[in-house]
Structures are given as C-alpha cells and as structure tokens.
Amino acid sequence: MDKLVVQGGRPLRGDIAVSGAKNSALPALAACLLTEETVTLERIPGVRDILTMQQLLEYTGATVTPSNGHLEVTTRGPLNPEAPYDLVKTMRASSLILGPLVARHGSARVSMPGGCAIGARPIDLHLMGLERLGAEIRQEHGYIEASASRGLTGGRIYFDKITVTGTEDLMMAATLAKGDTILENAAREPEVVDLAELLTKMGAVIEGAGTSVIRVRGVEALHGARHAIIPDRIEAGTYAIAAAITGGELVIRNCRPGHLGALIQKLWQAGVHVEELDACTMRVSATPTLRAQDMSTEEYPGFATDLQAQYMAMMTRADGISIIRETIFENRFMHVLELVRMGASIRIDGRQAIVAGSRKLTGAPVIASDLRASASLLLAAMAAEGETVIDRVYHLDRGYERIEEKLAGVGAVVERITD
Ligand code: UD1
C-alpha cells in the first residue's frame, strides 16, 4: 500500500490548478448509458473512482475510449444491466447506474452497497423513487433487482432527506419515462446542475435543476453530446485551506469561487484573505493569526461535508475554541484521533467536535480512513513540524488527481512511497 511522506512547516506559494469534479464526472459517465450514441466528456479527472465507473460501464457493455484528454462513451448493442459486488463495494456511487439502466433497458441488477467508513449510507430513496416511477424492486442475495418491462412512467417524488446521488439517479431515470416527473426536496448541488446541463444537451427536457423542485418531461430517446465537467469545488476548497493552514498564499486556477460561498465566508471570518480574481480564479492569503469559527455542515449551498475534515485541520491552528457539527453523515470524524496523534486537541460529543485551537502540530505516523479524512491529514502534515507518514493513501487517490505533484509545484515536500 502506498504511503505519503510529508516534511511539514513550509508555506505553500504559487499557482495551482483544479481538475474536473469527480462528483460531477461520475453521474455524467452513468448518463452515457441513457443513449446508444456517443457522448464525449471533457475534463474527466484521472482518479480511481472514475476508473471504477469506467469498469462498471464496460461491464454493462459500453465502449469507453480516451481521446485527447477526453472520454468517449458509446453504449450500442445489447446491455448487460448489472453492477457486480466487486465494483460496487469499492465505490458507493455505483448506484448511479441503477436509474439509467432501468430507464433504457427496462431492468437492472445492482449489488447492494455495504456500510462504509463514514456511515450506513443506504440507497432506500433511490429505490423509493424508482418504485414511484413504476419499477418493481426486489432484493435478493445481496443484489437489488429493478424492472420496468413496459418502461417507466413519470410521477411525483418527494425526498424526505436530501440526497445528491439519489436526485441524480432519479433525474436520469425520469428523462426516458413516459410523461412528467417532479422531484421535490431535490439536492441543489452544482453537480446536479452540471448533470442537468449534460442531459439537456442529450435532448432531455429538465427545469429547475439547482432549486429544490426539478421537473423532467420524459422523451422517447436521448442522443449523443459533448460536455465539459465543472471544476472540482472540493479540490479547490482543499487548496484554499492548504494556503491558510501553511501560512502561505495560493492562486487557485480553473475553479468556480461561486460554488464555494460557504467556505469563503468561513475563511473570511477566520481572518484569511480571499480574493476572487475572476470567475475561475481566486487568491487565498493566510493570516498570521487564524480566528476560531464554529461551523456546521449543510446541504448545498451550506458548508460541504466533504470539506469538514479539512476545515477541522485548519481550526486546530486557530486562536480559540471552535465547534464543528456534522449533520450529513453520522460517522464522519474518523480523522479526529489521527489529528490528535499529531498534537491537536479535539473532543467528540455526538455529532459535534470541539476543537481547542492554537496547538502546535507535530509530524507522526497516521492512517487515512476515507477520502476527505486523508486530505485533512495531508493538510495537517504540511502545517506540522517535522515528518508525517500517511498510510493507506489509496483513499486519497479515489478523489484527488496528481495531488502530491500539484502540491509539490507550490512548495510542499511530499513523497510517495510505493510498497
Ligand atoms: C454525495 C457525494 C459525497 C458527499 C455527499 C453529501 C457523490 C458521488 N458523492 O454522496 O461526496 O459527501 O453527496 O454531500 O456525489 N441517504 C439516505 N437514503 C438514501 C440516500 C441517502 O438515507 O437513499 C442519506 C445518507 O445516508 C446521508 C444523507 O442522506 O446521511 C446524504 O447522502 P447523499 O446526499 O445521498 O450522499 P451521496 O449522494 O452518497
């Protein structure tokens, strides 16, 4: 298993560019299953979750061809509408192919996702929505079987909990259903809007993406399209925090500051200077004295749960006490004990973590437990005195493209050791 060895205490300075959003690329790839024509996707990040989705598409019969930095996906011919356990267990977002397969093929067999480090994460809302659109759902031998031999029919779906991939899955399914579908209490994340833009280019009729009510008018068939994935707001946010925690200054390019409102606000309140240079670039300059700021994760446009661990690493350096509340996932504090091993003072009380800041962090051997926890440890390691060895960095590789190379380009001393 690969490890990262980080020599800390160096302020990051310079320009750093953000890749395409993993969480936008995954549903975009799943959407390719909705048509037999070729869909070309630009700015697909080279991360492990994308490779898993590629394997999943190929398993179902799609041809995925890299071409000039883009991916071309064609799903002509008979489909094998199945997502096997071996692929699903490594990536929960595999459930995104359920809706497209049922809508286009009339049936799907997808392994049930198991638990994961950050909580139970069920997909009951995906299934409830498909049932509302007329699919029959059965669960057997660890698999979900969904069928709609006469096709799906539009309907009204209310999500009693906001779900990002659930909204995406059902929006995709509804594009080929007969009649209109209304998704209520839908997720408003930029990735949902990006998917709606791709689907619209493919011939779908969608209104309201980005609001909590999405209307989809079903069409007979979708066609090929070309689409560039939006920049990854979580990667951009991670770099913004990297500038702040190391006492440096970064110009973050190819990002959308407009997607980072909640983080930028918190950085300002903590004393970090954030300047939007244009619609795709921001400069983040550290302050000598970070101020502690409470934070609570929320669905978009609130503070992203995917930046909670990184924000907590920053708060360990701030002046004062901060209370960080996790409202989306029940078990997303796996990074806490590792940060404590590096000298942080953090106490967990149910769904909140109480961070006593102004602590000197010191390098230590630590273990990454999930994707964003790994990013948090990397940030802490870059700010710490001495050497940190981060084990199980495969979690980081699921979602960050060439991260050590990018960080080395702005002054970090990070080396990968491959066992
Ligand atoms: C997506 C993101 C992930 C992010 C999360 C929350 C992708 C590929 N992943 O994950 O990075 O952390 O949104 O912003 O886009 N829930 C149910 N039943 C369901 C579905 C969800 O109870 O059927 C619950 C979950 O357990 C969780 C909450 O709803 O507590 C939100 O989960 P959801 O928005 O679905 O997360 P994902 O879409 O899996």
Side-chain angles (χ1 to χ4, degrees):
M1 259 180 264
D2 288 7
K3 294 184 175 68
L4 285 184
V5 181
V6 185
Q7 311 298 335
R10 291 160 171 82
L12 301 189
R13 290 190 196 284
D15 283 26
I16 193 161
V18 174
S19 301
K22 165 184 87 76
N23 284 356
S24 220
L26 289 172
L29 283 164
C32 299
L33 293 172
L34 288 163
T35 174
E36 57 175 34
E37 294 186 14
T38 301
V39 178
T40 304
L41 297 172
E42 300 173 11
R43 216 160 41 199
I44 295 281
V47 298
R48 209 155 53 86
D49 274 6
I50 295 296
L51 289 178
T52 308
M53 185 55 99
Q54 238 172 280
Q55 285 174 300
L56 209 48
L57 293 186
E58 283 165 348
Y59 191 89
T60 63
T63 312
V64 184
T65 321
S67 146
N68 297 328
H70 312 325
L71 280 186
E72 287 179 1
V73 186
T74 312
T75 322
R76 208 164 287 137
L79 287 178
N80 169 32
E82 187 166 319
Y85 179 61
D86 278 352
L87 292 174
V88 175
K89 74 175 181 208
T90 62
M91 186 185 68
R92 295 182 36 81
S94 307
S95 48
L96 278 167
I97 70 168
L98 193 58
L101 283 177
V102 182
R104 164 122 176 258
H105 187 264
S107 70
R109 188 167 179 270
V110 173
S111 171
M112 304 252 295
C116 69
I118 64 173
R121 300 180 88 179
I123 59 161
D124 55 315
L125 297 170
H126 299 232
L127 303 182
M128 171 281 294
L130 284 174
E131 276 184 323
R132 291 285 288 158
L133 300 183
E136 270 178 42
I137 309 281
R138 284 195 314 158
Q139 293 186 22
E140 258 175 25
H141 307 298
Y143 276 78
I144 292 156
E145 292 179 11
S147 63
S149 48
R150 287 193 300 279
L152 296 171
T153 310
R156 182 183 290 274
I157 297 169
Y158 175 81
F159 295 100
D160 57 13
K161 188 162 193 176
I162 298 176
T163 159
V164 179
T165 49
T167 300
E168 293 165 345
D169 202 12
L170 292 161
M171 187 165 73
M172 289 190 278
T175 59
L176 293 180
K178 288 181 206 84
D180 291 358
T181 297
I182 300 174
L183 304 176
E184 290 177 331
N185 203 25
R188 293 179 285 163
E189 268 66 1
E191 294 76 20
V192 173
V193 179
D194 200 31
L195 175 64
E197 277 176 22
L198 166 64
L199 293 169
T200 304
K201 288 179 188 169
M202 292 168 69
V205 183
I206 301 173
E207 260 176 40
T211 74
S212 52
V213 181
I214 301 177
R215 287 165 196 274
V216 184
R217 171 153 295 174
V219 295
E220 281 286 313
L222 296 181
H223 51 73
R226 187 180 190 95
H227 182 70
I229 299 297
I230 54 169
D232 195 311
R233 62 195 166 99
I234 306 302
E235 186 190 1
T238 303
Y239 298 152
I241 295 174
I245 196 174
T246 63
E249 181 174 290
L250 289 177
V251 173
I252 303 170
R253 300 201 183 274
N254 303 346
C255 68
R256 298 258 180 100
H259 291 166
L260 285 162
L263 172 69
I264 291 173
Q265 176 67 25
K266 280 289 157 205
L267 289 171
W268 269 105
Q269 285 172 299
V272 179
H273 192 71
V274 183
E275 209 181 334
E276 293 183 28
L277 300 179
D278 59 46
C280 304
T281 318
M282 60 184 188
R283 177 167 33 225
V284 181
S285 319
T287 166
T289 43
L290 272 171
R291 288 191 292 269
Q293 291 297 319
D294 295 349
M295 183 277 281
S296 178
T297 61
E298 302 288 347
E299 292 90 0
Y300 190 84
F303 195 102
T305 173
D306 285 351
L307 284 170
Q308 177 258 108
Q310 299 89 317
Y311 183 81
M312 191 183 297
M314 183 175 81
M315 282 298 107
T316 65
R317 307 298 306 274
D319 199 8
I321 291 175
S322 53
I323 297 176
I324 295 178
R325 211 173 137 68
E326 173 57 56
T327 69
I328 310 291
F329 293 113
E330 70 267 29
N331 188 20
R332 208 172 200 182
F333 285 142
M334 308 283 283
H335 44 286
V336 167
L337 285 179
E338 302 300 305
L339 289 173
V340 168
R341 298 191 66 250
M342 296 179 69
S345 167
I346 308 170
R347 190 163 58 81
I348 299 176
D349 178 13
R351 283 202 159 198
Q352 59 187 28
I354 300 138
V355 184
S358 290
R359 293 304 170 118
K360 187 173 88 176
L361 297 175
T362 51
V366 289
I367 295 182
S369 56
D370 69 58
L371 170 55
R372 307 305 171 184
S374 328
S376 160
L377 296 178
L378 180 54
L379 291 171
M382 290 189 297
E385 196 181 280
E387 180 176 287
T388 298
V389 180
I390 308 176
D391 201 354
R392 300 199 192 158
V393 287
Y394 59 85
H395 289 293
L396 199 65
D397 299 334
R398 283 187 43 213
Y400 289 89
E401 186 177 47
R402 296 182 292 106
I403 189 162
E404 67 262 36
E405 188 187 317
K406 289 188 188 186
L407 290 171
V410 290
V413 181
V414 187
E415 192 195 349
R416 181 178 289 252
I417 296 181
T418 305
D419 273 353

